[in-house]
Amino acid sequence: MAAIRVFLLTCRRPKFLPRALASLRVQTFMDWTCELHNDAPEDDSPRRLLEAQPDPRVILHQHDRNWGPVASFNRAFAGGPEPFLTLLEDDNWWDPAFLATAHAALVANPAANVAWANMRLWQEEADGQWRDTGRTIWKVSPAAQPRMFYWPQALQLTTALHSNGAMLCRTRASASARVPPSTPFAIIEPVRERLLPGGWLFLPESLAHFALTRHTSRSADRVNWLQSQLLVAASFLASVPVDPDTFASLWKNLRAQTPPSTPLLFQLALAGIRPRGMLRAARAADWLRFLAGAVRHPVTLFSALRFRHDHPLLWPLLLATARQRSAEETARRGGQAPPAGLITKDLA
């Protein structure tokens, strides 16, 4: 039995897969086995790639039907007999030291169930070349010390701490991270952070590469996207003590986005999620932006506010697990309710 089971997920992107597979094969930590899952039944290129570059540690799982990304990710988090698991999507790739660094970090930090590294962002150009943007997901010195995070962090209101493409997870905890089949793929990472207990260990060094591809499989459905954001944010705010200073910081952070995301906070207030505390920090410009959007797209707003009704299984699960995470953190802190840490992905 190896130490790590790697789940390499591919679907109809044969030009990307060789790069991802090559980055796995050059890992300095070599005690791994790999399940290569091909979610395109009609595509034979992964089999031909393995025949041309045989490696007994890599076993092809050719799906006889398209599972979709949520089911494929859930298979990864079902794990195997190995004590650790990780997943690698076909368009991303790792530095040679990724597995060794993440494995050593989890071994040294038993309170963490997940360790993840910073990722460097690469842009696919029209001619098929890749441009290093010079940016990373987290703005932090690579020489900084690893940092442990516990639920709740203010960043988890709308997004996730960790990245799928640069994480290592303990198999004994991973089964709880399998998300409901109805989960919108856009929020699979935030949902996982509500389901999986324990600490999350961030490794500041950029050890993986995230591909900003020209074409994406993510849904362009505006209502689906808004409902996804509301599911995540509402479950957070219904489970975490939030004081006026925290609300003010949330408004400040969402105003700084391009475009500003402050309409989300009005939508939460309309849904009955902490309306008094939510709207106290709103400015006149925030109100004008929200009202202008509501007038232009009233049907979209009404449909988005049905997020609980349209997700009758996911919503109560998110609410229950977010409250469970808060209770666990209160116990870890000796009975003191956890504050929502005021962090962004800029730790410089």
Side-chain angles (χ1 to χ4, degrees):
M1 185 176 67
I4 299 174
R5 179 166 293 252
V6 179
F7 292 87
L8 177 49
L9 309 180
T10 188
C11 183
R12 302 185 180 96
R13 293 198 282 201
K15 68 177 182 178
F16 296 152
L17 179 59
R19 179 179 61 188
L21 182 58
S23 78
L24 171 59
R25 284 174 161 155
V26 298
Q27 291 297 300
T28 58
F29 185 93
M30 296 181 289
D31 190 15
W32 53 263
T33 186
C34 175
E35 290 187 18
L36 170 54
H37 283 263
N38 179 18
D39 201 29
E42 78 289 348
D43 182 12
D44 196 39
S45 60
R47 180 189 61 79
R48 289 185 276 108
L49 176 62
L50 291 185
E51 288 179 349
Q53 303 174 15
D55 188 328
R57 297 173 297 176
V58 182
I59 305 300
L60 176 63
H61 291 252
Q62 178 74 37
H63 297 179
D64 58 5
R65 58 178 177 81
N66 179 260
W67 293 5
V70 173
S72 296
F73 275 57
N74 277 347
R75 170 62 194 97
F77 280 91
E82 297 77 16
F84 300 98
L85 66 86
T86 184
L87 58 89
L88 177 60
E89 295 171 271
D90 53 13
D91 56 342
N92 298 329
W93 67 101
W94 295 334
D95 280 357
F98 167 66
L99 287 181
T101 305
H103 180 264
L106 278 185
V107 169
N109 291 273
N113 279 325
V114 175
W116 85 100
N118 208 352
M119 298 187 79
R120 196 166 187 87
L121 303 177
W122 291 75
Q123 179 68 58
E124 184 184 16
E125 303 290 3
D127 61 0
Q129 299 298 309
W130 289 88
R131 177 176 58 85
D132 183 353
T133 66
R135 295 182 289 118
T136 54
I137 292 180
W138 289 75
K139 297 178 182 178
V140 59
S141 168
Q145 292 298 308
R147 177 170 175 174
M148 186 82 82
F149 290 103
Y150 292 94
W151 173 273
Q153 303 293 331
L155 190 64
Q156 293 171 306
L157 174 76
T158 56
T159 186
L161 299 172
H162 79 292
S163 300
N164 283 326
M167 51 143 283
L168 186 69
C169 181
R170 295 188 195 277
T171 304
R172 69 172 185 242
S174 66
S176 63
R178 289 178 291 180
V179 305
S182 61
T183 302
F185 188 64
I187 55 170
I188 195 170
E189 291 163 304
V191 170
R192 185 179 303 130
E193 290 183 1
R194 284 150 177 74
L195 300 179
L196 203 154
W200 296 73
L201 183 64
F202 172 56
L203 309 176
E205 187 178 359
S206 178
L207 296 170
H209 304 270
F210 184 83
L212 300 169
T213 56
R214 290 174 54 80
H215 303 287
T216 178
S217 59
R218 294 179 185 267
S219 172
D221 185 335
R222 179 64 177 169
V223 171
N224 178 274
W225 168 251
L226 289 174
Q227 287 193 341
S228 299
Q229 294 287 288
L230 288 167
L231 283 165
V232 171
S235 63
F236 182 95
L237 291 172
S239 313
V240 175
V242 182
D243 58 28
D245 288 341
T246 302
F247 274 123
S249 294
L250 291 174
W251 281 95
K252 180 180 178 181
N253 290 342
L254 294 182
R255 288 186 193 108
Q257 296 181 6
T258 306
S261 299
T262 50
L264 173 68
L265 300 180
F266 287 100
Q267 294 158 8
L268 288 165
L270 283 176
I273 306 296
R274 311 283 286 273
R276 289 188 178 181
M278 190 83 64
L279 298 180
R280 190 175 291 118
R283 298 174 179 173
D286 302 323
W287 279 100
L288 289 174
R289 182 176 294 107
F290 168 70
L291 292 173
V295 169
R296 288 196 301 267
H297 307 288
V299 176
T300 298
L301 175 60
F302 175 78
S303 300
L305 293 176
R306 290 172 53 86
F307 67 95
R308 289 168 290 200
H309 176 273
D310 292 348
H311 295 273
L313 298 179
L314 181 58
W315 166 246
L317 176 65
L318 284 178
L319 191 60
T321 52
R323 288 173 174 170
Q324 185 178 354
R325 298 289 84 78
S326 293
E328 290 168 354
E329 180 60 8
T330 298
R332 191 186 73 84
R333 294 166 59 90
Q336 180 182 359
L342 300 179
I343 68 158
T344 68
K345 289 188 175 178
D346 186 352
L347 299 181

